[in-house]
């Protein structure tokens, strides 16, 4: 969440910046500053009462020693009155702080100056494109038909077991899925990321820490009896490893990678654009997460983008990179680059990765700080990216690598699969 001090110092600039997101911050900023003023004045009054109470306690102790019991009784009445006042002030402070945080939780991050204005994905800006779109033979099939033809993914069986959006991978399809996961992890580890295997459920504090709550509450699967949430991405548990931590400058940068299944309750519409692997409720993803000093975070973002580029070059998939506009920018992000792979059989671009810099937005929620060389405490910058989300990468491979003889396996994956064609 945003820092109140920064809102106070940059109110007009922040209001203008948030208009890129089509978010009118005027009223909510006024509410935040009013609540903060109440919180600060209440805290000052409480501190004053507590100091007075401490002073009286010491005085009562001295009077006991001198036997001045009448004065002791008078002062005890004052301390009793003070105790009641401090209780009321403490309750007011807690309620005001809670309301202030609740209000701050509903304000999105300030977009970076590079973020273009816009209302939707139609206004995103293409900044890079690479790779040749293959010329497929006549009668080329979309991946959901290829999956059925070669018996490698069973959507109907997943529907029977669980419901729509929970596919079953079979035979060479399952082995190709496993190969992609291993290849992505190996590639990230080789680039300096430490691998983690994380829990698939998180508590409420973790959801708030990385900003999924309250913003994405309706999209997360909630285990109500235990008040736990199935993770929508490995970013959530990985980043929350560092919640409430005080790091040193020498600890940074920290680079993590991890594979997890991901769970999202996304309400899907109908049609070819969400068929097959295009949109799922459970899918596999390998994530990269970085913690950086503020002055290094945008260089780190560029490096993450290059990491994803390198993977896609190895897979020889045609792709492009978009800089997201304000209207399409995620709630917690200051700047996001989306990667899309071209699906030749569907004749459309499919999003397969997002690389984002959250600056201090998550760190402020997480209370994640570090001490710089001067010993001053600063908030860390957090970043994350998909390297990569599997379903649409797999869809792109199946469609772009199809031949009349079968589906070729990208050369870089053959050592992982043990076969070079699905036939």
């Amino acid at each position: 969440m945003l820092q109140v001090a920064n809102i106070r110092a940059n109110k007009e600039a922040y209001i203008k910046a948030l208009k890129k997101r089509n978010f009118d911050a005027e009223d909510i900023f006024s509410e935040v500053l009013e609540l903060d003023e109440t919180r600060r004045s209440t805290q000052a009054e409480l501190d004053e009462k507590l100091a007075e109470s401490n002073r009286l306690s010491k005085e009562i102790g001295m009077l006991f020693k001198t036997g001045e019991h009448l004065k002791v009784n008078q002062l005890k009445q004052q301390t009793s009155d003070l105790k009641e006042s401090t209780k009321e002030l403490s309750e007011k402070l807690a309620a005001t702080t809670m309301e202030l945080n609740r209000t701050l939780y509903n304000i999105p991050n300030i977009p970076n100056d590079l973020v273009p204005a816009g209302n939707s994905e139609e206004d995103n800006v293409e900044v890079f494109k690479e790779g040749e779109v293959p010329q497929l033979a006549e009668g080329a099939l979309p991946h959901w038909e290829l999956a059925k033809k070669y018996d490698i993914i069973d959507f109907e069986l997943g529907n029977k077991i669980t419901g729509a959006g929970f596919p079953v991978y079979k035979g060479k399809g399952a082995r190709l899925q496993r190969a992609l996961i291993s290849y992505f992890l190996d590639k990230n580890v080789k680039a300096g990321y430490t691998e983690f295997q994380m829990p698939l459920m998180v508590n409420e504090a973790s959801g708030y820490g990385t900003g999924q709550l309250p913003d994405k509450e309706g999209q997360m699967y909630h285990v109500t009896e235990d008040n736990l949430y199935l993770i929508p991405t490995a970013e959530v548990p990985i980043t929350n490893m560092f919640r409430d931590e005080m790091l040193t400058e020498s600890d940074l940068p920290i680079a993590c990678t991890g594979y997890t299944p991901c769970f999202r309750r996304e309400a899907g519409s109908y049609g070819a654009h969400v068929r097959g692997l295009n949109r799922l409720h459970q899918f596999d993803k390998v994530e990269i997460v970085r913690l950086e000093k503020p002055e290094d975070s945008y260089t780190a973002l560029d490096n993450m983008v290059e990491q994803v580029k390198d993977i896609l070059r190895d897979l020889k998939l045609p792709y492009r990179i978009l800089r997201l506009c304000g209207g399409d920018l995620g709630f917690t992000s200051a700047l996001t680059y989306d990667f899309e792979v071209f699906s030749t059989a569907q004749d459309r671009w499919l999003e397969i990765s997002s690389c984002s810099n959250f600056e201090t937005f998550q760190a402020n929620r997480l209370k994640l700080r570090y001490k710089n060389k001067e010993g001053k405490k600063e908030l860390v910058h957090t970043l994350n990216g998909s390297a990569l989300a599997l379903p649409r990468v797999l869809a792109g491979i199946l469609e772009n690598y199809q031949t009349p003889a079968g589906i070729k396996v990208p050369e870089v994956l053959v050592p992982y699969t043990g076969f070079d064609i699905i036939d």
Side-chain angles (χ1 to χ4, degrees), residues 30 42 50 60 64 67 91 101 114 126 169 171 173 180 193 217 220 223 226 228 246 263 268 302 308 375-376 400 416:
S30 296
T42 304
L50 289 171
I60 287 169
F64 259 122
E91 289 172 352
N101 285 335
L114 289 173
E126 183 181 296
Y169 299 87
L180 282 165
Y193 290 84
E217 188 163 9
M220 296 175 74
V223 184
D226 302 297
L228 296 174
M246 177 65 72
F263 305 89
D302 290 341
V308 178
K376 182 183 176 184
N400 292 347
Y416 292 90

Side-chain angles (χ1 to χ4, degrees), residues 34-243:
E34 186 176 325
L35 284 166
D36 186 55
E37 188 58 43
T38 301
R39 181 193 64 79
R40 292 200 295 171
S41 62
T42 304
Q43 182 71 67
E45 190 176 354
L46 176 60
D47 290 344
E48 189 178 311
K49 298 284 187 186
L50 289 171
E52 177 66 9
S53 181
N54 288 336
R55 188 189 65 77
L56 288 176
S57 294
K58 289 177 182 177
E59 190 174 343
I60 287 169
M62 295 295 292
L63 291 171
F64 259 122
K65 290 178 182 178
T66 58
E68 298 180 63
H69 298 296
L70 181 61
K71 284 187 177 180
V72 166
N73 290 334
Q74 290 173 344
L75 292 181
K76 277 187 173 181
Q77 182 58 49
Q78 288 183 46
T79 58
S80 178
D81 293 342
L82 278 171
K83 190 177 289 186
E84 185 62 32
S85 296
T86 56
K87 181 186 175 186
E88 290 175 3
L89 287 168
S90 295
E91 289 172 352
K92 181 181 178 182
L93 179 63
T96 303
T97 301
M98 185 180 294
E99 183 60 27
L100 175 59
N101 285 335
R102 189 181 295 121
T103 305
L104 287 167
Y105 280 144
N106 288 295
I107 303 172
N109 201 358
I110 304 301
N112 183 277
D113 290 343
L114 289 173
V115 173
N119 298 315
S120 69
E121 61 184 27
E122 301 299 322
D123 300 311
N124 295 336
V125 177
E126 183 181 296
V127 295
F128 189 82
K129 184 188 284 186
E130 189 172 54
E132 292 184 14
V133 174
Q135 296 296 314
L136 300 182
E138 188 176 346
L141 301 173
H143 69 269
W144 54 87
E145 292 187 25
L146 291 167
K148 189 170 185 178
K149 178 179 178 179
Y150 294 105
D151 195 26
I152 54 175
I153 308 172
D154 196 324
F155 296 101
E156 289 74 20
L157 186 56
N159 193 28
K160 172 186 175 181
I161 296 167
T162 308
F166 295 88
V168 173
Y169 299 87
K170 303 167 63 177
K172 286 186 174 181
R175 288 167 66 186
L176 180 56
Q177 183 87 341
R178 178 159 51 93
L180 282 165
I181 293 166
S182 295
Y183 161 66
F184 292 160
L185 286 171
D186 286 351
K187 191 79 173 175
N188 294 337
V189 169
K190 188 176 180 181
Y193 290 84
T194 301
E195 182 179 349
F196 290 86
Q197 190 172 53
M198 303 304 298
L200 303 184
M201 289 190 284
V202 293
N203 55 31
E204 191 174 65
S206 293
Y208 274 95
T210 43
Q212 281 69 33
L213 296 176
D215 179 58
K216 298 278 191 303
E217 188 163 9
Q219 295 182 32
M220 296 175 74
Y221 285 98
H222 188 195
V223 184
T224 54
E225 188 171 341
D226 302 297
N227 197 28
L228 296 174
Y229 293 84
L230 289 169
I231 61 168
T233 167
E235 168 206 343
V236 182
I238 289 176
T239 311
N240 271 281
M241 289 195 294
F242 305 98
R243 176 158 42 92

Side-chain angles (χ1 to χ4, degrees), residues 104 186 274 290 296 387:
L104 287 167
D186 286 351
V274 295
R290 297 189 70 92
D296 297 335

